[in-house]
């Protein structure tokens, strides 16, 4: 009889409890349908830890090399502070011999500090993907991915994306039929539509340094429905279209057209959140029509405005 597949979670003081419980529930549920996963919780010293919610988490033992699957959950304090060297060193131990190594949410920062993401594709929570890229300059960070596989290394986005990752791992082991049963039992999607951009906040970032460019961005933000063609925007500053394009490129790393599109997209998304119809949102946000807005949603979120609204306009059920 084959031995159980070991799934080891690295836990430590401050660990995000849902990053552990969500994926663990997937593996436990899979056992109901014929899988054989053995879940272990390992801490740096073998002592119990306290989660981010203040709950005590009992562990099975100290970190040790082993086979199977090894997962590193995140914590609220990363990446606001560097990963301590002793924590990174402890996190490195169970990776030795593991068939698969993965992280949930900001657990990617621990993998990066342990040198386990060097030269690999990776992701983390959408709010801090830029920080992961800075912390791990050899990584190729994919900001919109729900999870990323690079060989036997896996990283996932924020919090509940750990469930998506765990389902993908179960499917690798047992195929889509068993995994579909698990997803149905847990009332989650077998495969979530779209990337994590659909969950991100509206356009945010530092204002342009140049007063001239700030004039243009304020103009677009104040009136997204206006005529914001490249020529019209350049006229407001009495500069050439080439000069204005260069200002956007140098300060905002985008083009005037893409900036206008992003502002309109963020406004349309907010309008959908507030219950406006897709047609109303397209008009109020300044899109030429619904089809134009639909193309932008498909490009940015991989879902339609209607699908976005079903997911995020309300949590109420009639």
């Amino acid at each position: 009889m084959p031995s159980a597949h070991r799934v080891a979670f690295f836990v430590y003081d401050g660990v995000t409890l849902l990053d552990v419980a969500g994926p663990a529930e997937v593996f436990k549920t899979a056992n109901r349908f014929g899988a054989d996963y053995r879940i272990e919780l390992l801490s740096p010293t073998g002592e119990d830890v306290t989660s981010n919610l203040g709950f005590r988490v009992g562990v099975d033992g100290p970190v040790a090399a082993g086979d199977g699957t090894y997962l590193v959950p995140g914590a609220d304090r990363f990446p606001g502070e560097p990963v301590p060297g002793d924590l990174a060193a402890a996190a490195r131990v169970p990776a030795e011999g593991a068939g698969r190594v993965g992280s949930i949410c900001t657990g990617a920062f621990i993998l990066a500090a342990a040198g386990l993401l060097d030269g690999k594709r990776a992701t983390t929570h959408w709010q801090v993907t830029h920080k992961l890229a800075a912390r791990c300059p050899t990584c190729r960070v994919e900001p919109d991915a729900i999870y990323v596989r690079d060989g036997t290394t896996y990283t996932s986005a924020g919090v509940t994306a750990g469930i998506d990752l765990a389902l993908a791992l179960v499917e690798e082991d047992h195929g889509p039929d068993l995994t579909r049963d698990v997803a149905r039992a847990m009332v989650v999607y077998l495969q979530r539509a779209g990337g994590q951009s659909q969950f991100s906040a509206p356009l945010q970032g530092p204002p342009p340094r140049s007063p001239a460019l700030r004039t243009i961005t304020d103009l677009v933000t104040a009136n997204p429905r206006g005529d914001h063609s490249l020529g019209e925007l350049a006229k407001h500053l009495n500069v050439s279209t080439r000069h204005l394009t260069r200002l956007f490129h140098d300060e905002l790393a985008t083009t005037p057209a893409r900036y206008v599109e992003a502002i309109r997209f963020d406004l349309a998304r907010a309008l959908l959140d507030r219950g406006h119809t897709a047609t109303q949102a397209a008009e109020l946000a300044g899109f030429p029509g619904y089809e134009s807005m639909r193309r932008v949603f498909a490009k940015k979120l991989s879902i339609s405005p209607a699908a976005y609204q079903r997911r995020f306009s309300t949590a109420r059920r009639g």
Side-chain angles (χ1 to χ4, degrees), residues 17-197:
L17 192 58
L18 187 55
D19 286 4
V20 181
E25 188 67 29
V26 172
F27 296 113
K28 176 179 174 291
T29 304
N31 287 346
R32 288 170 41 196
F33 295 99
D36 190 8
Y37 291 106
R38 186 181 77 252
I39 300 169
E40 297 180 1
L41 302 183
L42 308 177
S43 71
T45 64
E47 297 178 353
D48 293 350
V49 301
T50 302
S51 76
N52 65 318
L53 298 180
F55 299 157
R56 179 182 168 192
V57 179
V59 306
D60 298 297
V63 291
D67 57 6
T69 299
Y70 167 52
L71 297 174
V72 179
D76 297 339
R77 68 180 189 269
F78 303 128
E81 61 184 62
V83 176
D86 57 345
L87 188 66
R92 196 178 301 119
V93 175
E96 186 178 343
R100 299 182 297 211
V101 175
S103 64
I104 297 98
C105 197
T106 57
F109 287 86
I110 298 177
L111 288 188
L116 298 173
L117 293 184
D118 290 348
K120 296 183 180 291
R121 294 165 47 244
T123 195
T124 187
H125 192 286
W126 62 267
Q127 288 181 315
V128 293
T129 49
H130 64 293
K131 293 186 177 181
L132 180 62
R135 197 77 62 86
C136 185
T138 67
C139 297
R140 194 172 90 208
V141 178
E142 300 186 7
D144 194 40
I146 297 295
Y147 66 85
V148 169
R149 174 186 178 181
D150 189 325
T152 58
T153 301
Y154 302 73
T155 49
S156 62
V159 194
T160 59
I163 293 175
D164 297 83
L165 173 58
L167 285 168
L169 296 174
V170 170
E171 184 170 3
E172 280 188 13
D173 296 337
H174 297 284
D177 292 339
L178 184 146
T179 312
R180 191 175 296 111
D181 289 337
V182 174
R184 285 172 174 161
M186 294 183 64
V187 199
V188 296
Y189 290 109
L190 178 60
Q191 186 174 44
R192 199 185 315 206
Q196 60 171 322
S197 292

